[in-house]
Amino acid sequence: MFWLVKHGVKASGMPAFGGSHEDRALWNIAAFVKNMPQMSEEQYATLGSAGDH
Ligand code: HEM
């Protein structure tokens, strides 16, 4: 997931975010996506206000 977000998906339209985001932010995105299936509505709602990028 980290690699996909950093480099994008060739010939698909999925952009690479490595040029505009630090690795730390990309790892946070990967962890977020990985946890989404188990996440409750409350957990999801509190994440946006954490402010830890
Ligand atoms: C942080 C944001 C994003 C994440 C976490 C993300 C994640 C993913 C993942 C996991 C895949 C599947 C790759 C695979 O297994 O083949 C994918 C594919 C794709 N993404 Fe994203 N993506 C993001 C943003 C975007 C944006 C902004 C766009 C378009 C403007 C986009 C367009 C696509 C496209 C077109 C594909 C290929 C679908 C296919 O043909 O299989 N993604 N993305």
Side-chain angles (χ1 to χ4, degrees), residues 4-48:
L4 283 170
V5 178
K6 180 160 182 157
H7 300 286
V9 182
K10 207 181 230 179
S12 76
M14 163 90 184
F17 290 90
S20 55
H21 292 68
E22 298 293 333
D23 279 3
R24 177 170 158 74
L26 301 178
W27 278 116
N28 283 345
I29 290 167
F32 170 70
V33 173
K34 208 174 172 189
N35 277 290
M36 276 174 81
Q38 303 92 263
M39 221 179 274
S40 71
E41 194 174 332
E42 289 74 28
Q43 286 171 320
Y44 179 86
T46 56
L47 284 172

